[in-house]
């Protein structure tokens, strides 16, 4: 039980990847605080953890609303104490900010029956950009004071998009590029203040936020075939395959001199040139 009584705050904890992070940290003895805009999904995960003998509590809040984060932070301080580990997992893409085509075709600049680069709505772009970057920034602003000079750990969740953007999703690509860059920035900022900041960049995992791009009526889309061709291991990742990296990065003995890195866990996607 390496994390005995450490307090781990996880945003997006009702989702597929972060619920697996939450269960993993709880099984190592951490008190897991699950934040999600969908309180019911976070509560369901907290209940599972408690049923298995772990310590957990769910709170409903949006990572885009600083005052709701501050209110939840005050409750957590009162109920449990200071945060030791923060995982900024809330994020994802949205169909609203997803284009229909990979490449420009003649006439796209005047088309209005499909989503193109030209008619991509600023609010839709901003929604995805903010969810990933501002959600990470605001949550870090609220919880990092707890961790100052206490061997704190912040883990952000980046993506393959941060290394090279994927077609059709310019907002998500820009956002995760910014999350990786912010991870490095914050790592330097806190380097002398006892907080390590790193990111995990998952390859492709089937979850709620990307399901509609990957499957249509349960059948893999052309994009799924492309992704699997571009992943040398030839398959999607399983959430539990992120846990070794997570446990390494939260462990101040195992990764005590590691800060400011973005670790790909991707079946070889980021190493493959396509040939
Ligand atoms: P998911 O949709 O299963 O989980 C995302 C969770 O975030 C949901 O429970 C959702 O309710 C919550 N959320 C959304 N908006 C929120 C807000 N404003 N405030 C608080 N919570 C909010 O998706 P996932 O794939 O498990 O996503 C986890 C993280 O992993 C995301 O940052 C995502 O971008 C990243 N990621 C996923 C993949 C993948 O292949 N699935 C790859 C790379 C990175």
């Amino acid at each position: 039980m390496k994390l005995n009584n450490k307090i781990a705050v996880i945003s997006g904890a009702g989702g597929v990847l972060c619920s697996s992070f939450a269960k993993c940290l709880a099984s190592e003895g951490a008190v897991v605080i699950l934040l999600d805009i969908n309180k019911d999904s976070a509560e369901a995960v907290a209940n599972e953890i408690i049923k298995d003998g772990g310590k957990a509590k769910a709170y409903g809040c949006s990572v885009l609303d600083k005052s709701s984060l501050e209110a939840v932070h005050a409750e957590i301080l009162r109920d449990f104490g200071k945060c030791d580990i923060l995982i900024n997992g809330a994020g994802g893409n949205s169909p609203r900010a997803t284009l229909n085509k990979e490449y420009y075709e003649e006439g796209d600049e005047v088309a209005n029956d499909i989503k193109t680069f030209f008619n991509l709505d600023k609010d839709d772009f901003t929604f995805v950009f903010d969810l990933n970057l501002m959600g990470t920034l605001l949550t870090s602003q609220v919880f990092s004071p707890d961790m100052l000079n206490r061997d704190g750990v912040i883990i952000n969740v980046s993506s393959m998009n941060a290394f090279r953007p994927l077609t059709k999703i310019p907002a998500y690509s820009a956002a995760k590029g910014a999350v990786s860059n912010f991870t490095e920035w914050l790592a330097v900022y806190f380097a002398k203040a006892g907080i390590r900041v790193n990111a995990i960049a998952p390859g492709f995992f089937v979850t709620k936020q990307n399901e509609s791009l990957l499957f249509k009526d349960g059948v893999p889309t052309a994009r799924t075939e492309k992704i699997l061709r571009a992943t040398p291991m030839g398959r999607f990742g399983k959430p539990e395959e992120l846990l070794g990296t997570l446990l390494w990065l939260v462990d101040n003995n195992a990764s005590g001199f590691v800060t400011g890195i973005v670790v790909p866990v991707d079946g070889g996607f980021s190493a493959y040139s396509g040939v």
Side-chain angles (χ1 to χ4, degrees):
M1 300 287 257
K2 282 187 183 150
L3 302 176
N4 239 350
N5 295 324
K6 293 250 182 201
I7 297 181
V9 175
I10 306 178
S11 74
V16 176
L17 299 185
C18 290
S19 60
S20 150
F21 291 180
K23 289 175 194 169
C24 169
L25 298 187
S27 73
E28 288 294 328
V31 178
V32 177
I33 308 296
L34 299 98
L35 310 184
D36 206 292
I37 197 166
N38 180 343
K39 189 179 177 192
D40 290 347
S41 65
E43 202 134 52
V45 181
N47 289 339
E48 274 186 66
I49 291 172
I50 293 164
K51 208 175 92 206
D52 289 343
K55 295 177 206 134
K57 184 162 178 185
Y59 296 84
C61 79
S62 171
V63 292
L64 293 174
D65 177 355
K66 196 168 182 185
S67 54
S68 99
L69 286 165
E70 284 167 342
V72 162
H73 179 228
E75 271 189 66
I76 296 167
L77 271 179
R78 192 195 58 214
D79 296 347
F80 297 98
K82 289 183 176 180
C83 161
D84 299 292
I85 296 166
L86 170 65
I87 299 178
N88 285 309
N93 186 40
S94 159
R96 280 160 46 199
T98 303
L99 310 188
N100 288 90
K101 293 182 189 170
E102 295 191 341
Y103 299 101
Y104 167 79
E105 285 174 25
E106 200 179 329
D108 283 353
E109 65 276 31
V110 290
N112 53 22
D113 53 341
I114 54 168
K115 197 168 286 266
T116 72
F117 165 69
F118 303 95
N119 64 24
L120 176 58
D121 191 81
K122 175 174 167 283
D123 290 343
D124 294 339
F125 190 103
T126 305
F127 169 75
V128 170
F129 191 82
D130 282 359
L131 172 59
N132 291 278
L133 181 68
M134 298 309 289
T136 299
L137 169 81
L138 296 176
T139 316
S140 300
Q141 285 180 321
V142 171
F143 286 94
S144 58
D146 285 6
M147 294 188 259
L148 290 167
N149 303 310
R150 292 180 58 244
D151 289 333
V153 173
I154 297 178
I155 297 181
N156 298 328
V157 182
S158 188
S159 155
M160 289 300 109
N161 284 281
F163 300 99
R164 276 170 303 158
L166 301 189
T167 58
K168 293 188 176 178
I169 49 175
Y172 187 61
S173 295
K176 290 303 194 185
V179 167
S180 285
N181 185 281
F182 177 62
T183 300
E184 295 175 335
W185 186 89
L186 199 62
V188 173
Y189 183 70
F190 281 141
K192 294 178 172 63
I195 304 178
R196 294 183 302 112
V197 186
N198 293 294
I200 299 176
F204 294 85
F205 295 70
V206 183
T207 64
K208 290 177 238 167
Q209 54 92 17
N210 58 12
E211 207 170 6
S212 65
L213 263 175
L214 302 177
F215 293 93
K216 201 165 170 63
D217 304 324
V219 179
T221 60
R223 194 171 178 86
T224 286
E225 282 164 25
K226 242 179 151 177
I227 287 168
L228 296 181
R229 268 203 307 279
T231 301
M233 288 190 177
R235 62 173 176 83
F236 287 111
K238 302 175 202 141
E240 60 272 23
E241 290 175 316
L242 296 167
L243 302 179
T245 306
L246 173 74
L247 287 175
W248 171 57
L249 290 175
V250 297
D251 183 339
N252 282 313
N253 294 314
S255 63
F257 198 47
V258 177
T259 196
I261 66 164
V262 179
V263 184
V265 183
D266 64 352
F269 182 91
S270 60
Y272 184 44
S273 71
V275 178

